[in-house]
Amino acid sequence: MKSGLFHQEEQVMCDEQTVSLVDVLEEDEELEEEASAVLAGSDSDHCSYPQGYVKRQALYACNTCTPKGGEAAGVCLACSYKCHEGHELYELYTKRNFRCDCGNRKFTELQCKLYPDKDDFNILNKYSHNFFGVYCTCSRPYPDPDDQVEDEMIQCVVCEDWLHGRHLGCVVPDCVELQEMICESCMNKTPFLWTYAAHLAAVMFQVNDVLKPSSKRGHEEVEPSCKLKELQEIGQARIQSGAVFWPSAWRSKLCFCNTCQERLSEADLSFLLDESDTVLAYEKKGKNNEQNQQGHDPLMSALDNLNRVQQLEIIHEYNDMKTELKDFLQRFAAEGKVVTPNDIRQFFEQQQSRKRRRVDAGRFYST
């Protein structure tokens, strides 16, 4: 648990071991980078439709335009800002191989402002109950006002549904953000994944030995031996129930032989052979984009040159602003609305107005 700003202020004032404002801001910057990685990997200004079925992008569903009972539809990040401002939107995090639906035949009363020339339907898009604001096997909304149990939501890398940890049928491991999860339903639809799970997900120290190509194949063989077949012959047992958590780089351990590639293609799982398909890879790309756009921040360098009193004054101002911003954003979260750039702009304009009133009031009382 990271220390709060109030505690950090006490350290600055009372302890020999001080914490500078730069330390405070850098800590918050790290959290902001993680939160913005999802959005920074997508274009916030241009509709993604011309790119076709995008490998992975941030998506939203509009309950105002396509409510439950109608056809499911998804819109890209830019359209959520420009075409659906003020609408009730469901944040879908990211989805793979999706083409923006905004303004197509599924939207009877809305035309896309960014790219109106769209096909009637995107026949390769895949939809789920997520597009109507419900998740998990329990089909509940998130956040759920009727659920008082603190629980994390984890996304299946195959069906991309979000499931409560308590509904996975297994123990959720530590450092879950560094692992990928496949839910029990998706595992059962592709039984050969259980063979991989017995070796890759449970006993990683055996991977290098188990998956070495066989040296016994004849000279007439052109294709390497099938790693999956080797694992099946070893026959390591695993209980085939509950979700499976896969460690980092597990995809590179899958068999790439022609037979297995065809098997994965038939099951619509070819993306498992692509390590750049992972959410972690997408977020890393987003963080890099964010850093490239920001460049060098002269403010961070300038703050180190302020004396302690000046830093304390700014910390107090920053702490007040952060609390008010958190309260401001929580209202959007409670109502399930997406925060637009215009909302943020209005917030800071209100902050400036209040600051001017405080300054004017101070001048009045000092005369």
Side-chain angles (χ1 to χ4, degrees):
M1 183 71 67
K2 289 184 171 68
S3 301
L5 286 177
F6 179 73
H7 177 61
Q8 290 172 329
E9 288 176 339
E10 290 182 322
Q11 285 183 317
V12 171
M13 292 183 285
C14 304
D15 295 348
E16 291 297 327
Q17 186 178 1
T18 63
V19 176
S20 71
L21 178 59
V22 174
D23 295 327
V24 174
L25 293 180
E26 286 179 347
E27 182 179 28
D28 281 304
E29 273 192 349
E30 182 179 347
L31 296 175
E32 289 171 3
E33 284 177 6
E34 293 175 1
S36 66
V38 174
L39 302 183
S42 298
D43 191 333
S44 61
D45 297 315
H46 304 93
C47 177
S48 64
Y49 181 86
Q51 301 175 41
Y53 292 87
V54 179
K55 190 170 186 176
R56 183 170 293 281
Q57 64 176 316
L59 281 182
Y60 299 81
C62 183
N63 190 47
T64 304
C65 296
T66 55
K68 190 173 183 179
E71 293 188 82
V75 302
C76 67
L77 176 63
C79 287
S80 74
Y81 290 153
K82 305 298 193 300
C83 307
H84 300 268
E85 183 177 1
H87 293 190
E88 183 183 0
L89 295 177
Y90 300 128
E91 296 187 52
L92 304 178
Y93 195 54
T94 71
K95 302 284 186 185
R96 70 169 62 86
N97 299 332
F98 198 95
R99 196 173 198 183
C100 180
D101 286 321
C102 181
N104 67 12
R105 285 282 296 275
K106 294 185 176 185
F107 295 79
T108 57
E109 299 180 1
L110 180 136
Q111 185 179 49
C112 181
K113 298 177 182 178
L114 299 178
Y115 199 90
D117 186 19
K118 290 184 170 74
D119 291 339
D120 289 346
F121 302 101
N122 296 313
I123 59 175
L124 298 183
N125 281 355
K126 292 183 178 180
Y127 305 93
S128 69
H129 62 175
N130 293 175
F131 289 79
F132 295 111
V134 292
Y135 310 87
C136 190
T137 55
C138 62
S139 293
R140 294 295 302 168
Y142 181 82
D144 188 346
D146 298 325
D147 186 3
Q148 303 304 316
V149 179
E150 289 189 10
D151 198 357
E152 57 187 330
M153 301 287 285
I154 303 171
Q155 188 178 35
C156 173
V157 300
V158 175
C159 67
E160 298 191 295
D161 192 6
W162 289 86
L163 295 94
H164 295 98
R166 64 185 184 274
H167 294 155
L168 292 177
C170 68
V171 177
V172 177
D174 296 331
C175 300
V176 66
E177 67 276 3
L178 300 178
Q179 303 185 47
E180 292 192 294
M181 184 272 289
I182 300 181
C183 70
E184 182 178 5
S185 176
C186 289
M187 290 293 297
N188 289 335
K189 289 176 183 176
T190 48
F192 63 86
L193 287 178
W194 288 112
T195 301
Y196 284 121
H199 299 272
L200 304 185
V203 196
M204 278 302 290
F205 63 83
Q206 291 185 357
V207 167
N208 292 332
D209 295 329
V210 170
L211 297 183
K212 285 181 180 178
S214 172
S215 60
K216 296 181 181 179
R217 68 178 188 269
H219 292 290
E220 70 281 0
E221 292 182 345
V222 177
E223 184 182 353
S225 61
C226 177
K227 297 177 182 178
L228 178 59
K229 186 176 180 180
E230 291 180 7
L231 296 180
Q232 290 170 336
E233 290 175 351
I234 293 172
Q236 185 166 313
R238 178 191 170 102
I239 298 175
Q240 296 186 5
S241 67
V244 176
F245 284 86
W246 305 79
S248 176
W250 71 279
R251 297 189 187 207
S252 65
K253 309 300 182 182
L254 299 178
C255 182
F256 282 72
C257 77
N258 290 336
T259 301
C260 283
Q261 288 190 49
E262 291 175 4
R263 182 182 288 112
L264 287 168
S265 178
E266 290 172 358
D268 202 17
L269 296 177
S270 295
F271 59 84
L272 290 180
L273 298 178
D274 181 6
E275 292 194 66
S276 67
D277 165 80
T278 67
V279 173
L280 283 176
Y282 171 85
E283 290 182 345
K284 183 177 180 180
K285 174 186 174 183
K287 290 179 181 179
N288 290 337
N289 290 345
E290 190 79 4
Q291 291 171 357
N292 292 336
Q293 290 173 4
Q294 289 176 348
H296 174 67
D297 187 357
L299 175 62
M300 297 299 291
S301 301
L303 289 172
D304 264 341
N305 297 322
L306 299 178
N307 62 45
R308 185 176 299 184
V309 173
Q310 291 172 320
Q311 286 201 355
L312 283 175
E313 290 177 350
I314 296 179
I315 284 179
H316 279 293
E317 292 284 345
Y318 176 74
N319 199 18
D320 291 342
M321 183 273 292
K322 182 180 178 182
T323 300
E324 293 177 9
L325 179 59
K326 181 179 179 181
D327 293 340
F328 176 76
L329 295 177
Q330 282 179 338
R331 293 199 297 271
F332 285 84
E335 298 174 4
K337 294 182 178 180
V338 173
V339 183
T340 68
N342 188 50
D343 294 324
I344 297 299
R345 192 179 305 111
Q346 289 180 356
F347 170 81
F348 283 105
E349 286 176 355
Q350 291 174 359
Q351 292 291 309
Q352 288 292 334
S353 177
R354 291 175 185 172
K355 184 176 180 180
R356 283 194 295 269
R357 287 198 296 270
R358 287 198 299 268
V359 171
D360 292 341
R363 289 171 180 167
F364 177 78
Y365 288 119
S366 64
T367 57

